[in-house]
Amino acid sequence: MERQNPSAFAESPGLQPELWAPRATKPAPHHLGHRERLRERARAGGLAALPDYELLEAFLFRSVARGDVKPLAKALLARFGGFSGVLGATIDELKTVSGVGDAVALDIKLLHEAALRQTREAIGKRRVISSWTALLAYVRTALAHETREQFRVLFLDKKNQLIADEVLGRGTVDHAPVYPREVARRALELSASALILVHNHPSGDPSPSSADVDMTRQVADAARVLRIAVHDHLVVGRDGVASFKSLGLL
């Protein structure tokens, strides 16, 4: 059979020449291969060398199987003011960011819980009052970005080692109910010898209020009757941690 010359078809009036032209290829997405390049940079230079948005982006690779997650990482950091703010946000708050669904929000909270357990472990087997830097890191991880006020008590034994960390009051954006008798009762149940009170200010400013001072004195008075010491009261905010003892309020 005689082979036909393709040019003959192009010259035929019934055929369209463009059908024989090579198809134009679309440019590859700019993020194609970006995931592996970022992983390679992390391997070569270490994770500490990555800026916050790239560290979060690399983590999101596990939650979002395909596509460019750099815009999502940057949106999360902008919405919550930084890496610790992203981790401290609630699942519902995280889902207000476009692109964050149940799976992504849950993965971020798992990362926050891992960080919280790491900092708690640092104080769990040592004398708390001699591990002050670790204690401050723990309470900031736990409370600095809470959107509702929370009152916690660290119960310590005779060696000032941590027995338990319990939430004894949850409240609104500016108040958490605290009952001194309940604090004292729980201390007796745990055979605690000392307490460190902790609560957060969602406003970000850790400066103690007059209500904070009054409540602390009531708890200290109730504990004193039972020969239980109150070592300190820490107020946690995004701007830092205030210590009643350092301020001369306890």
Side-chain angles (χ1 to χ4, degrees), residues 105-195:
L106 180 59
D107 282 352
I108 290 174
K109 293 311 299 178
L110 288 173
L111 182 59
H112 180 237
E113 180 61 24
L116 186 59
R117 293 189 186 195
Q118 181 188 26
T119 55
R120 182 189 298 136
E121 191 174 90
I123 65 170
K125 297 179 181 180
R126 294 189 291 173
R127 296 176 71 244
V128 170
I129 59 174
S130 64
S131 310
W132 208 249
T133 300
L135 174 62
L136 295 182
Y138 170 61
V139 298
R140 292 198 70 174
T141 301
L143 289 173
H145 295 277
E146 282 285 332
T147 57
R148 293 290 182 268
E149 196 164 301
Q150 188 180 113
F151 181 80
R152 305 171 81 116
V153 180
L154 307 184
F155 298 93
L156 311 179
D157 64 14
K158 292 180 179 180
K159 296 181 180 179
N160 286 316
Q161 292 181 332
L162 185 65
I163 299 173
D165 166 21
E166 297 187 353
V167 178
L168 296 187
R170 298 180 188 272
T172 63
V173 294
D174 59 1
H175 175 69
V178 181
Y179 302 101
R181 290 182 180 179
E182 286 300 307
V183 175
R185 181 189 61 79
R186 187 58 179 147
L188 286 175
E189 289 177 348
L190 294 171
S191 299
S193 297
L195 313 173

Side-chain angles (χ1 to χ4, degrees), residues 25 33 50 59 74 78 85 88 92 127 133 160 204 230 245:
T25 57
L50 297 180
F59 178 76
K74 290 186 173 182
D92 287 341
R127 296 176 71 244
T133 300
N160 286 316
V230 176
K245 188 173 183 179

Side-chain angles (χ1 to χ4, degrees), residues 30-32 34-35 38-39 52-77 97-100 104:
H30 72 89
H31 60 271
L32 190 64
H34 171 67
R35 293 187 177 211
L38 181 54
R39 291 188 181 106
D52 284 355
Y53 78 89
E54 288 189 334
L55 184 64
L56 182 56
E57 183 185 0
F59 178 76
L60 290 172
F61 290 165
R62 289 149 178 77
S63 307
V64 182
R66 295 179 180 82
D68 186 6
V69 293
K70 182 186 294 184
L72 177 56
K74 290 186 173 182
L76 283 164
L77 292 169
V97 176
S98 178
V100 177
V104 172

